[in-house]
């Protein structure tokens, strides 16, 4: 969702030019996911963070994220982006409830929201998703790191995330009762 | 949001032609609101339903609904559409939490979801909104009717609503603990 | 939780007499669960209902339910009652979020709430719980029946449930987007 | 809810002795509220914190909190404790939805949960409550302080709160989209 975070190499039903045009006209719908490991009682004990190299060469941490395409359900979009970012063996457990823990609004200018995205106005439905298999980041992600909820909530991690997503990650932890 | 329900007379940053084109390419983001009256303890005791005449001349019941524009926050969009549909004296109380009670997915074909919209793929964030003032429907709405939660949940009311919104209305009632 | 539904054969840290006394003095804390089957994308496609014979010999439908004991977490209580009612091979997936879809308030008198329990004032945290294994009802449950969300939402099923739990079941379906 | 935070001078339907006995036998049901000020669009811009002097003479910050009595609805309990702690002119707006943003579990021993209460096992339904009037703390509260969400989320404030309630306050801020 950030300018470097989750390029859609396949821009779906829009050419690059059309997508660029649309980005100046409409809010785009995204999904984001915080992958977690849970114990036998459903308690979150680890949080997965993606490491990416940005176009400018810096390293940033990010969440699973991407656009919802025309004709695609939110569940399909979530599953597609989880597979794209975590590999086909991650075995994510999508929640029975389709209500996100948060609706994150990204604007290309500061001040309208906690979140910014210099490319576009995007509205993102954000979910905490337990994964039960083996994660093998693909595409442009360098690595998936698992960390404790406490570490994930730290200021250091927040500083590594683009567009204000540190606040979204903390809200994710709060929604599952593990924010310190 | 229905084909007749909430025309955007002012299509914002898109011409009619551009909007028509975009509708074949991208999911559009909407907000919907179920206006309610609450008692001093916050309990919902009445539900507001809009009556509209459709382009084909039939009468349908509907919810407050409309598009989120480029650069507009969800709260601004909710407020704008509440004012458009209920008048400037409705005094809606927007919730402190921006999380919708439901995310309704409308497709132009049946089967993908409970909800359909023959014009477009729309994703709607739906809220229950207490209103404290006087509602005077404007634009194309004929009337606002207040009814009990029990009446609002009836099969008769659901049958009068377009696009499967009867299910959304029931989910709204369930989210505030008044679905029979 | 109903008078016959979920007897606590082992009343935990209270004798029967003490429990009876406490029931006249304090609201008791319960958990309730609606067991569901989900598909690979997390969508609910079946709902599990327990059949029980009441003390008076009638047959009622009910949910998984039971008290939270002293010193027990809500997750532990949920897991214990799921195992008690569905058997050890049900493999329930407890949600990452500890927030219930509804808080059901049961009073021994009518009118204060949708829900009644002639024995006591009980407050129940209610969850939708996917189960992935084989359910073998134990104890006093005669049978577990799987049905479609549509059938589960019917008036006939609601009429078979004690204490107003038909409304709770419908709220459960609404919370996961499958209430008709 | 803390040992000094919200004494129930009137222990309701239980004598002090009975309450003490019950506290060793059953989880007690509480409600907690984070009072907030919202703007015309429902956005939280201030958070209210109570200052109290503990029995040991130290000053602590706390939330509105108290027990749910036998026969009392959760809404009635919330309203009663808000009035008790904020005075009769606070004019709280109880939410239409009875679902808490978090269920906080307090145990008299560490490790079972983020939250502790040396007196008892308590389960607390926690809400964010906009107040629209004038708050005049009564009883043992020294003062109500309004602060920005950012200040309320700080480590300094968390350190002033008993029983781990700093985490609950942060979860409250996250639930309304204002946790930094």
């Amino acid at each position: 969702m950030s300018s470097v975070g989750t390029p859609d190499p396949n821009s779906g039903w829009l050419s690059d030019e059309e997508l660029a045009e649309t980005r100046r006209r409409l809010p785009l719908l995204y999904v984001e996911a915080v992958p977690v490991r849970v114990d036998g009682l459903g308690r979150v004990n680890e949080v997965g963070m993606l490491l990416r190299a940005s176009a400018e060469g810096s390293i940033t941490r990010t969440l699973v994220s991407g656009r919802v395409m025309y004709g695609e359900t939110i569940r399909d979009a979530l599953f597609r982006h989880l597979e794209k970012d975590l590999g086909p063996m991650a075995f994510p457990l999508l929640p029975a409830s389709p209500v996100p823990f948060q609706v994150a609004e990204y604007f290309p200018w500061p001040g309208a929201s906690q979140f910014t995205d210099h490319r576009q106005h995007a509205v993102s439905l954000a979910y905490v998703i337990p994964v039960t298999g083996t994660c093998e980041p693909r595409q442009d992600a360098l690595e998936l790191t698992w960390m404790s909820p406490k570490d994930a909530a730290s200021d250091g991690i927040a500083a590594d995330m683009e567009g204000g997503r540190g606040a979204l990650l903390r809200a994710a932890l709060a929604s599952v009762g593990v924010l310190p």
Side-chain angles (χ1 to χ4, degrees), chain A residues 108-121:
Chain A
W109 46 80
S113 150
Q114 288 185 300
F115 307 109
T116 57
D117 182 339
H118 69 78
R119 295 171 309 164
Q120 61 192 0
H121 174 193

Side-chain angles (χ1 to χ4, degrees), chain A residues 31-38 44 46-50 62-65 78 82 85-86 92-93 95 101-102 106 124-131 135 144-149 152-153 157 161 165-176 178:
Chain A
V31 288
E32 289 186 281
V34 179
V36 297
R37 298 277 190 199
V38 300
V44 170
E46 283 188 309
V47 180
M49 302 287 300
L50 291 164
T62 191
L63 308 174
V64 173
S65 120
L78 260 177
L82 285 161
D85 285 348
L86 304 182
L93 295 174
F101 72 85
Q102 180 106 292
Y106 295 82
S124 169
L125 309 179
Y127 300 86
V128 174
I129 307 283
V131 297
C135 296
L144 179 77
T145 314
W146 293 101
M147 58 184 77
S148 70
I157 293 293
M161 301 185 77
R165 280 178 190 76
L168 189 62
L169 176 59
R170 285 172 180 161
L173 300 174
S175 76
V176 293
V178 297

Side-chain angles (χ1 to χ4, degrees), chain A residues 6-154:
Chain A
T6 49
D8 275 314
N10 167 4
S11 285
W13 288 256
L14 293 177
S15 71
D16 283 357
E17 212 168 292
E18 289 167 328
L19 183 58
E21 180 61 20
T22 301
R23 281 185 160 138
R24 288 192 292 271
R25 301 298 193 82
L26 278 181
L28 294 189
L29 184 65
Y30 273 74
V31 288
E32 289 186 281
V34 179
V36 297
R37 298 277 190 199
V38 300
D39 69 13
L41 291 173
R43 267 183 302 246
V44 170
N45 45 32
E46 283 188 309
V47 180
M49 302 287 300
L50 291 164
L51 267 186
R52 292 189 201 271
S54 78
E56 297 83 34
S58 62
I59 303 292
T60 59
R61 292 182 191 275
T62 191
L63 308 174
V64 173
S65 120
R67 265 206 308 131
V68 180
M69 301 301 223
Y70 179 80
E72 188 179 43
T73 66
I74 288 165
R75 289 183 185 279
D76 282 327
L78 260 177
F79 196 86
R80 179 170 60 84
H81 290 293
L82 285 161
E83 188 169 65
K84 181 195 70 188
D85 285 348
L86 304 182
M89 307 300 284
F91 299 129
L93 295 174
L94 270 57
S97 168
V99 175
F101 72 85
Q102 180 106 292
V103 179
E105 303 179 69
Y106 295 82
F107 291 95
W109 46 80
S113 150
Q114 288 185 300
F115 307 109
T116 57
D117 182 339
H118 69 78
R119 295 171 309 164
Q120 61 192 0
H121 174 193
V123 174
S124 169
L125 309 179
Y127 300 86
V128 174
I129 307 283
V131 297
T132 59
T134 306
C135 296
E136 297 184 14
R138 303 193 303 177
Q139 292 199 358
D140 59 332
L142 301 178
E143 197 184 6
L144 179 77
T145 314
W146 293 101
M147 58 184 77
S148 70
K150 193 184 164 192
D151 288 348
S154 69

